[in-house]
Amino acid sequence: MVYLAADIHGYIEVKKVTRFFEEEAQKTKLSENDYLIILGDVGLCWDNGESDAYVRKMLESLPVTVLWVDGNHENFDIIDALPTINWHGGKVQFIGNKIIHLMRGYIYEIFGKKFFAFGGGFSTDKMRRQEHISWWAREMPSQEEYERGLANLQKVGYKVDYIITHTVNSNIANLFSENKFAVGEKELQDYFQKIADSVEFENWFFGHWHVDCDIDKFIGIYYDVIKLAERQEEQK
């Protein structure tokens, strides 16, 4: 079973997933072989302090394994220092035994489905933040990461089952709040637009915009936790 959530922002909103799984575990038998994918702004790597420890404890307490792509509100000094290993077809970084960072531009096979993962996004409030304390330039992808993503998509014939990101392509982004992230993340949104135009996929799941929406194949998540199997049933 695969579930998706987004933007828990550390201790601020982590309880929206813990509450969901308290209820879900009463209805569905779950194990560490099931997954929750969080679409960025997770906040479990921030200052290596009490807040991080609390969020990690809460996520480790879930009956499922947590997978996540990075957003723009993460501490990339901490993330980049984590060791990298191979997992389900791509590179990942483990935080404990049950929390796994899906790195930018890799494709992971989970339950026989291909998931293309690509984190990153732009912080509109970065002018009020301090570099390497509360803001990191690594929130936006590197050229190497962009190239990696396209190369891996080429290897699978530009066909995956799902795309999981923090922000989204420019065509969808332009529908929200006059695209408030446009100036800072135009390069990333345009990159995703190139992927949207050239890759065959069933659904694209994203966070960042703090909306729950369903626009054709693009699914925005904020308050909701989505069960992927139910989404598949709706599309039949």
Side-chain angles (χ1 to χ4, degrees), residues 174-190:
N174 287 333
L175 301 177
F176 302 123
S177 302
E178 298 181 355
N179 198 351
K180 61 184 177 181
F181 300 107
V183 174
E185 68 180 34
K186 182 179 186 303
E187 179 182 76
L188 179 53
Q189 290 181 13
D190 287 350

Side-chain angles (χ1 to χ4, degrees), residues 4 24 30 34-35 43 45-46 50 59 87 99-100 104 116 122 126 130 132 143-146 149 174 192 228 231:
L4 297 108
E24 185 70 7
L30 297 169
D34 299 300
Y35 300 101
C45 293
W46 188 252
E50 292 183 4
L59 293 179
W87 184 86
I99 306 174
I100 305 171
R104 298 171 180 172
F116 175 72
F122 176 73
K126 75 174 190 175
Q130 185 176 349
H132 296 291
Q143 187 61 35
E144 179 185 359
E145 289 166 334
Y146 285 132
N174 287 333
F192 285 157
L228 188 55
R231 176 69 194 177

Side-chain angles (χ1 to χ4, degrees), residues 46-97:
W46 188 252
D47 60 5
N48 269 339
E50 292 183 4
S51 173
D52 285 11
Y54 171 78
V55 176
R56 293 177 192 183
K57 181 179 178 180
M58 296 291 277
L59 293 179
E60 289 275 8
S61 74
L62 298 178
V64 298
T65 295
V66 175
L67 313 177
W68 61 286
V69 299
D70 51 88
N72 50 295
H73 289 150
E74 323 279 6
N75 183 328
F76 289 92
D77 292 337
I78 295 174
I79 294 171
D80 287 344
L82 294 170
T84 300
I85 66 169
N86 294 316
W87 184 86
H88 287 237
K91 300 286 188 181
V92 300
Q93 296 164 303
F94 273 74
I95 301 176
N97 296 320

Side-chain angles (χ1 to χ4, degrees), residues 115-116 160-165 195 199 201 203-206:
F115 290 74
F116 175 72
V160 296
D161 296 287
Y162 303 107
I163 296 176
I164 50 176
T165 60
I195 289 173
V199 175
F201 60 93
N203 284 117
W204 186 315
F205 297 97
F206 64 96

Side-chain angles (χ1 to χ4, degrees), residues 131-157:
E131 189 165 7
H132 296 291
I133 300 295
S134 56
W135 176 80
W136 289 264
R138 282 280 291 124
E139 67 180 17
M140 288 293 287
S142 66
Q143 187 61 35
E144 179 185 359
E145 289 166 334
Y146 285 132
E147 292 173 359
R148 175 198 300 156
L150 295 178
N152 284 329
L153 287 168
Q154 183 180 35
K155 289 177 184 177
V156 296

